[in-house]
Amino acid sequence: MPPKSLLVILSAVVLVLAVLSQLEQDGDPVLLQKSVALQKGRVDVFNYVSDLRNYGKWFPGVERMETTDSTPISLGKHYREYGTIPLYGEVEYDIIIHGYDPPELVSFTSDGWPMLHIEISVFYEKENQSMLIWKLKTVRRSYLFQYTVAPILKLFYTGRIRQGLWNLKYIFRS
């Protein structure tokens, strides 16, 4: 039989984990936000990035995105994302458009376990120049998730989005 002090410590750890899993933050927490200035007009940039079939051309790890029907992009539209995760292999996700406000915003959520929500905003800067802001949020709001899984997701996506924004800069070079 384990010593009484070990049981007390184990019980305290379980209690803390249970409380952290139930306490939630207000709103969807932003895990990562990056921006890039692009040498192309706002409408052209928005048309390219909001066509999610192009997402795999600039975002690392995404091989392709396919529409599930022939309707134009709108709220609630579904896509299938096919990609790879290092050390894991091939993955497939259902993507749902949750925000669409041309020529400024497109946002979508993945049905994967972390329930990632990506917002892409395009703002006018100058003639033939725009600013793109890419945000990674999660629908999971518990403090337990924020202190355990979120740092790993930030680490994983920081390099990917940096490379993705460089790819966009290359695509829209003058």
Side-chain angles (χ1 to χ4, degrees):
M1 185 147 119
K4 205 176 220 182
S5 61
L6 184 60
L7 287 175
V8 170
I9 291 171
L10 185 60
S11 298
V13 168
V14 168
L15 179 65
V16 167
L17 290 175
V19 168
L20 286 176
S21 71
Q22 294 301 309
L23 290 176
E24 292 188 345
Q25 297 178 343
D26 294 332
D28 294 344
V30 175
L31 300 177
L32 189 60
Q33 177 175 321
K34 298 285 182 188
S35 62
V36 65
L38 299 171
Q39 301 301 315
K40 199 68 154 179
R42 176 182 183 189
V43 173
D44 292 333
V45 170
F46 181 82
N47 287 339
Y48 184 81
V49 297
S50 67
D51 183 352
L52 294 185
R53 295 172 297 181
N54 292 328
Y55 202 68
K57 294 176 184 174
W58 63 272
F59 195 84
V62 176
E63 292 173 13
R64 69 186 188 282
M65 277 213 206
E66 299 174 349
T67 61
T68 58
D69 58 42
S70 60
T71 62
I73 189 170
S74 61
L75 296 179
K77 182 168 177 65
H78 287 254
Y79 288 82
R80 293 297 297 166
E81 174 187 339
Y82 302 91
T84 55
I85 295 178
L87 303 175
Y88 182 78
E90 295 182 8
V91 292
E92 183 178 327
Y93 298 111
D94 187 36
I95 302 296
I96 303 170
I97 301 294
H98 284 284
Y100 186 68
D101 184 18
E104 187 173 307
L105 172 79
V106 63
S107 67
F108 52 92
T109 302
S110 166
D111 72 342
W113 177 78
M115 298 181 72
L116 298 177
H117 181 80
I118 295 171
E119 285 184 9
I120 301 171
S121 303
V122 182
F123 298 99
Y124 173 78
E125 285 291 304
K126 301 182 217 174
E127 185 79 27
N128 290 322
Q129 187 178 8
S130 53
M131 176 68 69
L132 182 135
I133 299 173
W134 185 93
K135 286 184 190 176
L136 177 66
K137 298 180 174 186
T138 180
V139 178
R140 299 202 179 269
R141 299 176 181 170
S142 78
Y143 285 100
L144 181 63
F145 182 87
Q146 296 308 311
Y147 293 124
T148 57
V149 177
I152 296 167
L153 288 173
K154 287 179 191 177
L155 182 66
F156 180 71
Y157 276 94
T158 297
R160 290 177 81 187
I161 190 52
R162 186 177 300 126
Q163 180 62 48
L165 295 181
W166 273 106
N167 290 343
L168 279 177
K169 216 169 172 65
Y170 181 77
I171 290 168
F172 292 115
R173 68 191 180 278
S174 298

